Amino acid sequence: MKLKSRGRRAMPEVNMTPMMDVIMTILTFFIIVSMTLTSAKTVKDVALPSTDKQDAIQDEPPDPLVVGVDKKGQMILNEAPIDEVKLGTAVVEYLTKNPKGSVVLKADKKVAYEKVLNAVAVLREVGGDRVALAVGDE
């Protein structure tokens, strides 16, 4: 009696190509369906609220008060030299009339840093957190 010898058998392999084709087909189907459901047709049916121009105009902040510091370190308001006391009074008046207003400091790039800091200190004393520094794009 002869016994069959057990030789190495080839391991069965799973062919993944047909399964990947099916998965890609299903994925493509769901992508196309989701794109058609979220089309612009559904957005057109929404009634959007309108804005009243009077409310928009009232909410806009007023023009800022611009204070300058020239090359000599002198403070300028409305194109005229001004001292620290008068500047403080002018800023207080502006902020009283315009509670949402702000003060912008424009300093010449050649002015000493100390002069700019002095101007900022004067403006911060009367304007608090509504003081900004203007920068140029040069």
Side-chain angles (χ1 to χ4, degrees), residues 73 75 82-90 115 118-119 122 125-126:
M75 289 187 247
I82 191 169
D83 64 347
E84 292 180 5
V85 177
K86 291 181 182 177
L87 177 65
T89 307
K115 302 280 186 178
N118 289 339
V122 170
E125 284 178 15
V126 294

Side-chain angles (χ1 to χ4, degrees), residues 54-67:
Q54 291 295 340
D55 292 339
I57 291 172
Q58 291 175 356
D59 290 342
E60 290 180 15
D63 291 334
L65 178 67
V66 180
V67 178

Side-chain angles (χ1 to χ4, degrees), residues 4-24:
K4 293 184 183 178
S5 67
R6 294 191 167 192
R8 288 190 164 198
R9 291 187 189 176
M11 191 72 156
E13 294 180 16
V14 178
N15 190 357
M16 299 293 286
T17 306
M19 184 172 68
M20 294 301 291
D21 287 343
V22 170
I23 290 173
M24 292 303 288

